Amino acid sequence: MISAEQVTNRAGDEGVMPLLTLDEFFDGNDDEGCIAPNQWGYRRPALAELAERLRAIEGREDVAWVRVQLHPETLEMGELAGEAVAICTTADESVRAAWIEGFEASGVIPELVDVYHDVPEVPQGATVWSVVWD
C-alpha cells in the first residue's frame, strides 16, 4: 500500500493527486473508511471484497485499466481518502451498471472527478467512467 507521504511527494508542489493502481491503494489497506466512508456499514462491501471485485473488473478484456481517484483531503489529513474509482472501458452502460451493483455507489459519471496525473493512456474506443459515492 502506498503511504500518504508517498502520495504527497507524487502530488508535488502543485498538489495534483496521482491516480493510484488497485495494488497501491488496496494492498495492505485495512481502513474501511478510506473509500466511501458514508456507505461503510450501510451495505457497501467490505474493503477486501471491493478490491476483489474491482480486480475482477480490471481483468476483463473490455477494460483497459481501473484506478482509485484520491480526494484532495489526502494531502491535508495525511491519510488515504479515496473519492472515486475510475474504470477505462469499452463496455456499454448496462454492462458497467452490473459491475458496480451492490457497491452502494451514487452513480457513474463520465471522465475523472478531478485533475490527476499518472493517468494511463485511454485506448481508442474506450471511455473513462468514475464510480462515485456521496
Side-chain angles (χ1 to χ4, degrees), residues 34-119:
C34 69
I35 191 165
N38 295 341
Q39 298 305 325
W40 173 239
Y42 296 96
R43 300 186 328 199
R44 191 212 79 201
L47 198 61
E49 181 183 341
L50 189 60
E52 182 180 320
R53 288 185 57 192
L54 290 170
R55 285 187 172 111
I57 292 168
E58 187 174 46
R60 293 177 53 98
E61 286 187 23
D62 54 358
V63 174
W65 47 264
V66 177
R67 297 291 189 272
V68 176
Q69 301 171 71
L70 293 175
H71 195 286
E73 288 179 358
T74 295
L75 298 177
E76 301 160 13
M77 297 182 334
E79 297 177 2
L80 295 183
E83 182 166 20
V85 173
I87 302 173
C88 179
T89 183
T90 57
D92 66 29
E93 183 177 356
S94 63
V95 172
R96 292 189 316 268
W99 294 343
I100 65 163
E101 194 169 301
F103 278 14
E104 296 308 313
S106 302
V108 179
I109 60 171
E111 296 299 326
L112 300 173
V113 297
D114 206 343
V115 175
Y116 293 90
H117 67 78
D118 298 339
V119 179

Side-chain angles (χ1 to χ4, degrees), residues 7-12 14-20 112 114-120:
V7 168
T8 299
N9 291 339
R10 281 174 56 186
E14 298 83 29
V16 177
M17 304 296 283
L19 280 184
L20 298 185
L112 300 173
D114 206 343
V115 175
Y116 293 90
H117 67 78
D118 298 339
V119 179

